[in-house]
Amino acid sequence: MHALGRLEDLPLDYREALTAKNLVPLWPSLRAVLPPRVPTRRTQPICWPYQELRPLLLQAGELTPMEKAERRVLVLANPGHGLENMKASATMYLGMQLLLPGEWAPAHRHTPNAVRMIVEGAGAYTTVGGEKCLMSRGDLILTPTGLWHEHGHDGDAPVVWLDVLDLPLVYFMETSYVVEGKRQAVTAEAADSTYQCAGVLPAPAFKRSQSDFPVLHYPWVKVRAALLAMATNQPDIEAVQVAYVNPETGADCQKILGFSALMLRPGEVLSLPARSCAMVFHQIEGGATVSVEGHAFQLADADTCCIPGYTPVTLSNASASEPAFIFIADDAPLQKKLGLYEVRA
Ligand code: 1HN
């Protein structure tokens, strides 16, 4: 690949003539936008240990009342993207949200899709599209695009959860906006949904669900039990991993970001090939090491890290007796829809 002409190679008056007409020569910038073989990634491998951010989040609870915050969140920002841009990766936003007993985060709906991974506390709930979802550690609760949602807390200790949104992508596309609303009437309890019984679907008059998001709440107790059963029943399986899907279609539960839960068996070392998607790892239980070239993050309970795409990663569980459970988010669904997804051997 030979060197291309630089901007400085062009006469100043020519460059000024271009600028005056809103024109730009491609060749000085061509290699920057089309680097050979491997894309340029601003996403840096970064870890946010929970014990470091927790006191700062609780302090936000003292410093900023709910009325002044609407959502009391510390954003897990990747310095590679500039902290003020609030991106963990090019497409993924991460934030730790605090709700104190008795507080209320008012109803709104917006175009970005959100999910919440519950980190600590009990007694809080989120109501999504009229469906009340109680929050327990490790639960995954979806707030898909366009659905009303609000959070409440009837318990007596702080509740914290991890928000994962496709906000950077939706904002980049100039399609991000919010609508404020009134308190929703609760029309259903997620825990009572027919979908909580695996293997059967509601089929009134033999019709399938009209919703793109039939399940909004994936309780950790059930996901954990599924992983343990998989580890017991399929001891030779390469990875003990389940994906959060739409049970009507088997497709990813959201359209842009994908979510899964992984169990690392005691002593397990799992090497994943480089894939084009960026990834987020959040430790639900136990401890694990996330290793990429130049970094080894030791994740303890509730720690979160991210890695850029096109990066091989090794996950390991150093415990000889305890499993490790990890929540994973990535932008593979988006990349697959766009024909950009790759696995490199
Ligand atoms: C949002 O609506 C929530 O509803 C949390 O809890 C974080 C970050 C950016 C945009 C919208 C929530 C958010 C958000």
Side-chain angles (χ1 to χ4, degrees):
M1 209 175 264
H2 44 86
L4 300 177
R6 299 167 305 166
L7 204 54
E8 307 79 74
D9 299 339
L10 298 169
L12 191 57
D13 59 345
Y14 177 70
R15 282 150 60 186
E16 285 172 355
L18 292 178
T19 304
K21 303 285 179 205
N22 297 320
L23 297 168
V24 173
L26 172 62
W27 56 97
S29 305
L30 184 59
R31 297 281 187 256
V33 293
L34 280 182
R37 297 277 308 147
V38 183
T40 308
R41 287 137 303 151
R42 289 183 182 278
T43 306
Q44 295 172 5
I46 297 288
C47 186
W48 296 271
Y50 187 58
Q51 289 311 324
E52 290 180 13
L53 73 82
R54 186 177 185 276
L56 295 166
L57 185 56
L58 291 175
Q59 211 178 336
E62 291 161 20
L63 294 171
T64 306
M66 213 45 193
E67 307 77 61
K68 294 270 180 198
E70 216 163 280
R71 299 294 192 264
R72 192 190 292 108
V73 178
L74 292 182
V75 178
L76 281 49
N78 194 311
H81 287 280
L83 296 181
E84 68 286 1
N85 291 315
M86 302 195 299
K87 300 178 181 190
S89 77
T91 59
M92 290 187 278
Y93 158 104
L94 298 176
M96 282 286 182
Q97 183 161 173
L98 170 68
L99 199 63
L100 295 172
E103 284 187 334
W104 181 255
H108 67 192
R109 60 191 181 100
H110 43 68
T111 46
N113 297 272
V115 303
R116 324 205 182 276
M117 164 52 50
I118 314 309
V119 172
E120 70 165 279
Y125 57 90
T126 181
T127 305
V128 185
E131 197 170 313
K132 186 172 180 179
C133 307
L134 293 181
M135 297 174 160
S136 294
R137 172 65 177 137
D139 289 2
L140 187 73
I141 300 173
L142 309 189
T143 307
T145 180
L147 292 193
W148 292 109
H149 56 282
E150 60 204 271
H151 318 305
H153 190 351
D154 297 335
D156 50 20
V159 163
V160 177
W161 64 82
L162 174 70
D163 291 312
V164 186
L165 282 85
D166 49 21
L167 178 65
L169 175 80
V170 177
Y171 182 78
F172 172 77
M173 292 172 68
E174 301 185 342
T175 50
S176 180
Y177 70 93
V178 69
V179 180
E180 289 181 19
K182 294 196 289 287
R183 204 176 181 115
Q184 299 170 75
V186 173
T187 54
E189 304 268 340
D192 300 336
S193 148
T194 315
Y195 291 98
Q196 297 296 338
C197 176
V200 297
L201 295 173
F206 306 99
K207 290 201 199 89
R208 301 293 287 272
S209 168
Q210 300 299 303
S211 168
D212 278 350
F213 309 100
V215 173
L216 298 172
H217 186 189
Y218 299 79
W220 175 238
V221 281
K222 296 191 175 177
V223 177
R224 188 181 192 279
L227 289 166
L228 286 168
M230 202 170 161
T232 303
N233 299 332
Q234 296 173 262
D236 298 330
I237 202 165
E238 190 191 358
V240 182
Q241 185 177 23
V242 292
Y244 293 90
V245 300
N246 172 343
E248 294 273 358
T249 62
D252 298 300
C253 67
Q254 286 193 345
K255 297 178 190 198
I256 295 175
L257 301 182
F259 307 96
S260 64
L262 174 76
M263 172 178 149
L264 291 175
R265 292 157 283 198
E268 180 168 355
V269 177
L270 182 65
S271 288
L272 305 176
R275 302 188 307 150
S276 48
C277 53
M279 298 179 85
V280 166
F281 301 96
H282 171 82
Q283 191 76 40
I284 301 182
E285 237 184 273
T289 305
V290 176
S291 308
V292 295
E293 199 188 355
H295 299 268
F297 301 126
Q298 314 274 345
L299 300 188
D301 194 24
D303 291 354
T304 306
C305 72
C306 78
I307 61 164
Y310 301 88
T311 306
V313 55
T314 300
L315 307 173
S316 47
N317 177 7
S319 171
S321 55
E322 300 303 322
F325 294 97
I326 304 173
F327 169 66
I328 301 174
D330 64 36
D331 50 11
L334 170 72
Q335 293 190 348
K336 286 176 183 171
K337 289 184 179 76
L338 299 180
L340 297 171
Y341 181 76
E342 277 183 65
V343 182
R344 298 203 173 167

Coordinates of all heavy atoms in Angstrom, one line a residue, residues 70-73 75 86 93-95 97 105-106 108-110 112 114-116 126 135 143 149-151 161 163-165 167 176 178, ligand 1:
E70 N -33.7 13.3 37.9 CA -34.7 12.5 37.1 C -34.2 11.0 37.1 O -35.0 10.1 37.4 CB -34.8 13.1 35.7 CG -36.2 12.9 35.1 CD -36.4 13.8 33.9 OE1 -36.7 15.0 34.1 OE2 -36.3 13.3 32.8
R71 N -33.0 10.8 36.7 CA -32.3 9.5 36.8 C -31.0 9.8 37.4 O -30.2 10.6 36.9 CB -32.1 8.9 35.4 CG -33.4 8.6 34.6 CD -34.3 7.6 35.3 NE -35.4 7.1 34.5 CZ -36.6 7.5 34.5 NH1 -37.0 8.6 35.3 NH2 -37.6 7.0 33.8
R72 N -30.7 9.2 38.6 CA -29.4 9.5 39.3 C -28.4 8.4 38.9 O -28.5 7.3 39.4 CB -29.7 9.5 40.8 CG -28.5 10.1 41.5 CD -28.5 9.9 43.0 NE -29.6 10.6 43.7 CZ -30.7 10.1 44.2 NH1 -30.9 8.8 44.1 NH2 -31.6 10.8 44.9
V73 N -27.6 8.8 38.0 CA -26.7 7.8 37.3 C -25.3 8.3 37.3 O -25.0 9.5 37.0 CB -27.2 7.6 35.9 CG1 -26.2 6.6 35.2 CG2 -28.6 7.1 35.8
V75 N -22.2 7.6 34.9 CA -22.0 7.0 33.6 C -20.6 6.4 33.6 O -19.6 7.0 34.0 CB -22.1 8.0 32.4 CG1 -21.8 7.4 31.1 CG2 -23.5 8.7 32.5
M86 N -19.9 10.0 27.0 CA -20.7 9.0 27.7 C -20.9 7.7 26.9 O -22.0 7.2 26.8 CB -22.1 9.6 28.0 CG -22.0 10.9 28.9 SD -23.6 11.3 29.7 CE -24.6 11.6 28.3
Y93 N -23.8 2.5 25.8 CA -23.8 3.3 27.0 C -23.9 2.5 28.2 O -24.7 1.6 28.2 CB -24.9 4.3 26.9 CG -25.3 5.0 28.2 CD1 -25.0 6.3 28.5 CD2 -26.1 4.2 29.1 CE1 -25.4 6.8 29.7 CE2 -26.5 4.8 30.3 CZ -26.1 6.1 30.6 OH -26.5 6.6 31.8
L94 N -23.1 2.7 29.3 CA -23.3 2.0 30.6 C -23.4 3.1 31.7 O -22.7 4.1 31.7 CB -22.0 1.2 30.9 CG -21.6 0.1 29.9 CD1 -20.3 -0.5 30.4 CD2 -22.7 -1.0 29.9
G95 N -24.3 2.8 32.6 CA -24.4 3.7 33.7 C -24.8 2.9 35.0 O -25.5 1.9 34.8
Q97 N -27.1 3.3 38.2 CA -28.2 4.1 38.7 C -28.5 3.8 40.1 O -28.6 2.6 40.5 CB -29.4 3.9 37.8 CG -30.6 4.8 38.2 CD -31.6 5.0 37.1 OE1 -32.7 5.6 37.4 NE2 -31.4 4.5 35.9
A105 N -38.6 7.6 40.1 CA -38.1 8.1 38.8 C -39.2 8.2 37.8 O -39.7 7.2 37.4 CB -36.9 7.3 38.4
P106 N -39.6 9.4 37.4 CA -40.9 9.6 36.7 C -40.9 8.9 35.3 O -39.9 8.7 34.7 CB -41.0 11.1 36.6 CG -39.6 11.6 36.8 CD -38.9 10.7 37.7
H108 N -41.2 8.1 31.5 CA -40.9 8.7 30.2 C -40.7 7.5 29.2 O -40.7 6.4 29.6 CB -39.7 9.6 30.2 CG -38.4 9.0 30.5 ND1 -37.2 9.7 30.8 CD2 -38.0 7.7 30.5 CE1 -36.2 8.9 31.0 NE2 -36.6 7.7 30.9
R109 N -40.7 7.9 27.9 CA -40.3 6.9 26.9 C -39.4 7.6 25.9 O -39.4 8.8 25.7 CB -41.5 6.3 26.2 CG -42.4 7.3 25.5 CD -43.7 6.6 25.1 NE -44.6 7.5 24.4 CZ -44.8 7.4 23.1 NH1 -44.1 6.6 22.4 NH2 -45.6 8.2 22.5
H110 N -38.5 6.8 25.3 CA -37.5 7.4 24.4 C -37.1 6.4 23.4 O -37.5 5.2 23.5 CB -36.3 7.9 25.2 CG -35.8 7.0 26.3 ND1 -35.2 5.8 26.0 CD2 -35.8 7.1 27.6 CE1 -34.8 5.2 27.1 NE2 -35.2 6.0 28.1
P112 N -33.9 5.4 22.3 CA -32.9 4.4 22.6 C -33.5 3.2 23.4 O -34.4 3.4 24.2 CB -31.9 5.1 23.5 CG -32.1 6.6 23.2 CD -33.6 6.7 22.9
A114 N -33.1 0.3 26.3 CA -32.3 0.1 27.6 C -32.5 -1.3 28.1 O -33.6 -1.9 27.8 CB -32.7 1.2 28.6
V115 N -31.5 -1.8 28.8 CA -31.8 -2.9 29.7 C -31.2 -2.5 31.1 O -30.3 -1.7 31.2 CB -31.2 -4.2 29.2 CG1 -31.7 -4.6 27.9 CG2 -29.7 -4.2 29.3
R116 N -31.7 -3.2 32.1 CA -31.1 -3.0 33.5 C -30.7 -4.3 34.0 O -31.5 -5.3 33.9 CB -32.2 -2.4 34.4 CG -33.0 -1.4 33.7 CD -33.7 -0.3 34.4 NE -34.5 0.4 33.4 CZ -34.0 1.4 32.6 NH1 -32.7 1.8 32.7 NH2 -34.8 2.0 31.8
T126 N -39.5 -1.6 38.4 CA -39.6 -0.7 37.3 C -40.9 -1.1 36.5 O -41.2 -2.3 36.5 CB -38.4 -0.7 36.4 OG1 -38.6 0.2 35.3 CG2 -38.0 -2.1 35.8
M135 N -37.3 -5.9 41.1 CA -35.9 -6.0 40.8 C -35.1 -6.8 41.9 O -35.2 -6.5 43.1 CB -35.3 -4.6 40.8 CG -35.8 -3.6 39.7 SD -35.1 -2.0 40.0 CE -35.3 -1.2 38.4
T143 N -36.2 -2.4 28.6 CA -37.0 -1.2 28.4 C -36.8 -0.9 26.9 O -36.0 0.0 26.5 CB -36.5 -0.1 29.3 OG1 -36.5 -0.5 30.6 CG2 -37.4 1.1 29.1
H149 N -41.6 3.9 30.8 CA -41.0 3.3 32.0 C -40.7 4.3 33.1 O -40.5 5.4 32.9 CB -39.7 2.5 31.6 CG -38.7 3.4 30.9 ND1 -38.8 3.8 29.6 CD2 -37.5 4.0 31.4 CE1 -37.8 4.6 29.3 NE2 -37.0 4.7 30.3
E150 N -40.8 3.7 34.3 CA -40.6 4.5 35.5 C -40.1 3.6 36.6 O -40.4 2.4 36.5 CB -41.9 5.2 35.9 CG -43.0 4.2 36.2 CD -44.4 4.9 36.0 OE1 -44.9 5.5 37.0 OE2 -44.9 4.8 34.9
H151 N -39.4 4.1 37.6 CA -38.9 3.3 38.7 C -39.4 3.7 40.0 O -39.5 4.9 40.3 CB -37.4 3.3 38.7 CG -36.7 3.3 37.3 ND1 -37.0 2.3 36.4 CD2 -35.9 4.2 36.7 CE1 -36.2 2.6 35.3 NE2 -35.6 3.7 35.5
W161 N -28.6 -0.4 40.0 CA -28.5 -1.3 38.8 C -27.7 -0.7 37.7 O -27.3 0.5 37.7 CB -29.9 -1.6 38.3 CG -30.7 -0.4 37.8 CD1 -30.6 0.2 36.6 CD2 -31.7 0.3 38.5 NE1 -31.5 1.2 36.5 CE2 -32.2 1.4 37.6 CE3 -32.3 0.3 39.8 CZ2 -33.2 2.3 38.0 CZ3 -33.3 1.2 40.1 CH2 -33.7 2.1 39.3
D163 N -27.4 0.2 33.9 CA -28.1 0.5 32.7 C -27.2 0.2 31.5 O -26.1 0.7 31.4 CB -28.6 1.9 32.6 CG -29.6 2.3 33.7 OD1 -30.6 1.6 33.8 OD2 -29.5 3.3 34.3
V164 N -27.7 -0.5 30.5 CA -27.0 -0.7 29.2 C -28.0 -0.1 28.1 O -29.1 -0.6 28.0 CB -26.7 -2.1 28.9 CG1 -25.8 -2.2 27.7 CG2 -26.0 -2.8 30.1
L165 N -27.5 0.9 27.4 CA -28.3 1.4 26.3 C -27.5 1.5 25.0 O -26.3 1.6 25.0 CB -28.8 2.9 26.7 CG -29.9 3.1 27.7 CD1 -29.4 3.1 29.1 CD2 -30.6 4.4 27.4
L167 N -27.7 4.1 23.3 CA -27.8 5.5 23.2 C -26.7 6.1 22.2 O -27.0 6.9 21.4 CB -27.7 6.2 24.5 CG -27.7 7.7 24.6 CD1 -29.0 8.3 24.1 CD2 -27.4 8.2 26.0
S176 N -32.4 10.2 18.6 CA -32.6 10.1 20.0 C -33.4 11.2 20.6 O -33.1 12.4 20.4 CB -31.2 10.1 20.7 OG -31.4 10.0 22.1
V178 N -36.8 12.0 23.8 CA -37.6 11.5 25.0 C -39.0 12.2 25.0 O -39.1 13.3 24.5 CB -36.9 11.8 26.3 CG1 -36.8 13.2 26.6 CG2 -37.5 11.0 27.5
Ligands
1HN1 C1 -32.9 6.4 30.9 O1 -34.2 6.6 30.5 C2 -32.7 5.7 32.1 O2 -35.0 5.3 32.4 C3 -31.4 5.5 32.6 O3 -33.7 4.7 34.0 C4 -30.3 6.0 31.9 C5 -29.4 7.2 30.1 C6 -29.6 7.9 28.9 C7 -30.9 8.1 28.4 C8 -32.0 7.6 29.1 C9 -33.9 5.2 32.9 C10 -30.5 6.7 30.7 C11 -31.8 6.9 30.2

